[in-house]
């Protein structure tokens, strides 16, 4: 982030605009709107500025700019068409540690002015950090049409009710829940319809009926690329009080969790210590019972080799309000990004997902069926048992030349695809790291031809991780 977005309170503070033309007047009007005590420095000014000075809206200093004009000043905008004067203003401001903006000259600015959507007191500010002002403007125009006019009024009425609510609902999370309910419910509808008194009554009755009850959402975080999250997942992550996540959930996805939510890591990576499952179940119940909105964020899909079933069972037995939000499971995500269609008219009429995390002595898998040709076998957690898997498939008649692929860190920037044949599987697995997905079947050979992800990465069509913007938060405007 190159700039810190902030909203400055100008009310009654001395601000200076240098310049007397059209641009200067536009900037002056903006500062006046925000309540600044405005001084405008220019030997000559246009008619509008002269009139505003006559009406006492601003003070016109009809002199060439001198650094002393910035004494006791909060901020200054240089809007002349003379680069030398603009530079002088920027330097003088810098010496005095005053915020300065030079119109159309970002390098000289210590602050920049965003494009805004004004629904006062609600204000949305958009900036491209000076890189692409037209893009910022286009986004502003989009938001203008998206954000209903009544939002301002809604924020105003809400503001008037804050103190009452504070006295009535003590907990911060209780108040947050209240507002979410209000802004997404009848209150919003009433304000939109212009029934402001009824809207105030609605806040009254809603605040008296607040119940403290937590909830848990088992949310699929997908295989890594944050763009693969569902809208529901992002909304819940933005509303959560607590998020319990495991090691499979990518950094990029965690970035989208509400900033002040409590983040709890609960493991688990094969061979490493993690919180035991029954403790995780209990943690979820305890958090919910203390009134928190809990998101249990699980890699891929919660119900595919994710023990989501057990968590849900405990929650339901304990009477906790819960919901399940499916995610893109590794078998769907990693294969798609590796160019491996799970089924294909010519090569595979079925696909089976199995776990390689099996104990030999309790292996109940039907290897005879799994070893048949023209089907796709997707193996989760298979690296460590790849030798055993290879041996079972070959022993039950699968062709040793059957194509295999191992997709490491599927859908992520560092995705790697290792290709070979079934007879080489355990060798290949030695050079792969967790998390990896093994794909056995004729379709695996297509990965060489259909590797759209790595070729677009090589052509630079995909952004580097560091340049990637997290997906925007989802706002419910109903
Ligand atoms: N619930 C998850 C699976 C959890 S089991 C899901 O639906 O995807 C953990 C295994 O999933 C890992 O050992 C690996 O085999 C697979 N896996 C998860 N994310 C992956 C990724 N990004 N790339 C490759 N394999 C992945």
């Amino acid at each position: 982030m190159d700039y810190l977005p902030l909203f400055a309170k100008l009310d009654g503070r001395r601000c200076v605009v240098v310049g007397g033309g059209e641009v200067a007047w536009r900037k002056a009007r903006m500062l006046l709107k925000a309540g600044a005590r405005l001084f405008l420095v220019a030997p000559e000014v246009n008619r509008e500025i002269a009139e505003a000075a006559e009406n006492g809206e601003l003070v016109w200093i009809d002199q060439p700019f001198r650094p002393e004009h910035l004494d006791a000043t909060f901020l200054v905008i240089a809007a002349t068409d003379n680069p030398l004067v603009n530079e002088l203003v920027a330097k003088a401001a810098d010496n005095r540690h005053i915020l300065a903006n030079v119109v159309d000259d970002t390098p000289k600015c210590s602050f920049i002015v965003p494009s805004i959507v004004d629904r006062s007191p609600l204000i949305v500010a958009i900036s491209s950090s000076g890189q692409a002002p037209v893009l910022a403007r286009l986004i502003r125009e989009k938001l203008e049409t998206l954000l209903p006019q009544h939002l301002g009024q809604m924020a105003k009425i809400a503001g008037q009710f804050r103190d009452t609510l504070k006295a009535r609902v003590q907990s911060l999370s209780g108040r947050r829940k209240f507002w979410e309910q209000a802004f997404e419910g009848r209150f919003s509808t009433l304000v939109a319809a212009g029934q402001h008194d009824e809207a105030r009554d609605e806040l009254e009755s809603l605040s008296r009926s607040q119940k403290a009850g937590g909830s848990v959402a088992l949310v699929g975080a997908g295989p890594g690329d944050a763009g693969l999250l569902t809208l529901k997942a992002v909304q819940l992550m933005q509303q959560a009080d607590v998020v319990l996540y495991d090691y499979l959930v990518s950094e990029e996805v965690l970035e989208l969790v509400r900033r002040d939510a409590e983040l709890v890591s609960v493991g688990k990576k094969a061979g490493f210590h993690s919180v035991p499952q029954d403790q995780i179940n209990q943690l979820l119940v305890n958090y919910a019972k203390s009134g928190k909105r809990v998101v249990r964020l699980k890699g891929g899909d919660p119900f595919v080799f994710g023990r989501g079933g057990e968590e849900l069972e405990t929650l339901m037995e304990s009477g906790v309000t819960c919901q399940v939000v499916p995610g893109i499971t590794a078998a769907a995500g990693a294969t798609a990004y590796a160019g491996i269609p799970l089924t294909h008219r010519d090569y595979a009429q079925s696909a089976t997902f199995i776990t390689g995390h099996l104990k030999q002595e309790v292996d109940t898998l039907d290897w005879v069926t799994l070893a048949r040709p023209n089907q796709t076998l997707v193996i989760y957690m298979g690296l460590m048992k790849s030798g055993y898997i290879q041996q079972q498939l070959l022993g039950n008649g699968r062709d040793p030349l059957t194509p295999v692929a191992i997709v490491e860190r599927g859908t992520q920037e560092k995705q790697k695809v290792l290709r070979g044949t079934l007879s080489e599987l355990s060798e290949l697995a030695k050079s792969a790291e967790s998390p990896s997905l093994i794909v056995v079947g004729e379709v695996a050979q297509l990965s060489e031809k259909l590797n759209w992800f790595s070729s677009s990465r090589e052509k630079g069509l995909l952004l580097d991780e560091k340049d990637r913007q997290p997906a925007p938060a989802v706002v419910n405007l109903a």
Side-chain angles (χ1 to χ4, degrees):
M1 195 157 72
D2 294 330
Y3 291 86
L4 173 75
L6 48 81
F7 291 86
K9 189 163 175 61
L10 300 188
D11 213 12
R13 292 204 159 98
R14 178 187 164 106
C15 297
V16 173
V17 169
V18 183
E22 173 60 31
V23 183
W25 174 230
R26 224 182 313 133
K27 301 295 170 190
R29 268 196 330 234
M30 177 184 73
L31 295 175
L32 287 172
K33 212 170 151 194
R37 198 155 54 86
L38 189 65
F39 293 78
L40 188 137
V41 182
E44 282 167 26
V45 296
N46 69 12
R47 195 170 45 81
E48 285 101 332
I49 297 175
E51 272 175 22
E54 260 166 48
N55 298 336
E57 292 167 42
L58 55 83
V59 178
W60 170 26
I61 303 174
D62 67 347
Q63 299 166 3
F65 173 77
R66 277 179 290 114
E68 299 81 71
H69 289 137
L70 297 186
D71 287 349
T73 294
F74 183 65
L75 65 77
V76 57
I77 299 180
T80 78
D81 51 11
N82 183 337
L84 292 175
V85 176
N86 287 349
E87 169 133 26
L88 189 64
V89 175
K91 280 215 173 105
D94 242 6
N95 288 339
R96 288 168 166 73
H97 310 292
I98 293 171
L99 287 171
N101 178 277
V102 179
V103 174
D104 284 338
D105 195 349
T106 317
K108 291 203 182 68
C109 295
S110 61
F111 78 93
I112 53 178
V113 184
S115 294
I116 62 171
V117 182
D118 190 358
R119 300 283 182 276
S120 279
L122 187 91
I123 299 169
V124 182
I126 307 128
S127 162
S128 64
S129 305
Q131 305 288 315
V134 177
L135 179 63
R137 204 197 71 219
L138 289 176
I139 293 172
R140 186 185 68 81
E141 282 164 11
K142 260 198 196 133
L143 289 176
E144 275 293 355
T145 59
L146 260 176
L147 299 178
Q149 291 295 336
H150 77 271
L151 284 182
Q153 191 60 37
M154 190 155 88
K156 207 159 157 188
I157 299 177
Q160 292 158 353
F161 195 70
R162 282 188 78 185
D163 288 342
T164 313
L165 184 73
K166 240 184 210 162
R168 227 166 261 172
V169 181
Q170 252 77 56
S171 81
L172 199 67
S173 66
R175 290 200 294 274
R176 183 156 16 87
K177 244 175 274 174
F178 168 87
W179 286 121
E180 277 166 9
Q181 228 172 320
F183 292 142
E184 293 182 349
R186 193 157 167 269
F187 169 65
S188 164
T189 318
L190 288 168
V191 182
Q195 298 174 303
H196 298 163
D197 288 338
E198 289 81 351
R200 286 190 189 92
D201 293 345
E202 170 67 13
L203 291 183
E204 270 294 329
S205 58
L206 199 60
S207 69
R208 294 188 188 281
S209 68
Q210 278 297 292
K211 281 189 255 77
S215 60
V216 176
L218 303 183
V219 176
D225 180 351
L228 296 177
L229 284 166
T230 60
L231 286 176
K232 226 175 185 174
V234 179
Q235 279 166 347
L236 287 163
M237 284 155 67
Q238 292 276 319
Q239 291 168 0
D241 299 311
V242 188
V243 175
L244 284 85
Y245 66 98
D246 54 34
Y247 95 101
L248 277 175
V249 178
S250 69
E251 284 292 320
E252 207 180 309
V253 167
L254 287 177
E255 277 287 312
L256 295 176
V257 170
R258 196 167 64 84
R259 290 275 167 249
D260 43 1
E262 188 184 340
L263 271 176
V264 184
S265 157
V266 289
K268 52 169 109 174
K269 197 168 180 172
F272 288 88
H273 177 72
S274 58
V275 183
Q277 188 62 46
D278 54 348
Q279 271 184 36
I280 296 179
N281 298 352
Q282 205 46 54
L283 265 178
L284 293 174
V285 172
N286 295 349
Y287 274 122
K289 292 228 154 141
S290 68
K292 304 251 194 260
R293 271 166 313 174
V294 185
V295 164
R296 169 71 173 112
L297 204 50
K298 300 167 85 69
D301 179 90
F303 280 180
V304 179
F305 304 123
R307 303 190 73 170
E310 294 158 61
E311 292 174 7
L312 186 61
E313 205 176 325
T314 313
L315 290 165
M316 296 206 64
E317 278 167 9
S318 314
V320 171
T321 311
C322 32
Q323 63 175 313
V324 181
V325 180
I328 292 190
T329 188
T335 54
Y337 278 50
I340 304 174
L342 284 176
T343 67
H344 190 287
R345 255 173 90 92
D346 302 330
Y347 305 112
Q349 279 69 54
S350 71
T352 309
F353 302 169
I354 66 167
T355 167
H357 195 61
L358 27 91
K359 296 197 175 89
Q360 251 145 285
E361 56 279 16
V362 289
D363 174 8
T364 54
L365 290 171
D366 177 4
W367 288 106
V368 179
T369 307
L370 295 175
R372 291 204 185 118
N374 292 101
Q375 61 167 327
T376 308
L377 190 59
V378 180
I379 305 150
Y380 288 72
M381 298 173 275
L383 287 184
M384 288 210 257
K385 288 283 161 64
S386 57
Y388 175 70
I389 293 163
Q390 174 180 341
Q391 174 204 329
Q392 287 298 322
L393 291 173
L394 291 177
N396 285 283
R398 197 57 154 133
D399 187 337
L401 293 178
T402 306
V404 300
I406 299 182
V407 188
E408 186 183 301
R409 295 181 198 283
T411 79
Q412 301 177 14
E413 197 56 36
K414 292 188 183 129
Q415 171 177 298
K416 231 164 81 183
V417 184
L418 310 170
R419 302 180 192 89
T421 62
L422 181 55
S423 56
E424 300 160 343
L425 177 60
S426 62
E427 260 324 291
L428 272 186
K430 280 185 195 146
S431 43
E433 275 176 28
S434 183
S436 279
L437 197 71
I438 301 177
V439 184
V440 179
E442 293 74 4
V443 287
Q445 74 197 333
L446 293 171
S447 156
E448 222 152 332
K449 193 162 138 203
L450 305 181
N451 60 357
W452 63 270
F453 183 62
S454 45
S455 51
S456 39
R457 209 168 33 180
E458 277 154 27
K459 285 183 206 143
L461 292 177
L462 298 175
L463 296 174
D464 284 344
E465 204 150 13
K466 65 174 171 25
D467 296 333
R468 235 197 270 179
Q469 295 292 323
V474 178
V475 185
N476 189 343
L477 300 168

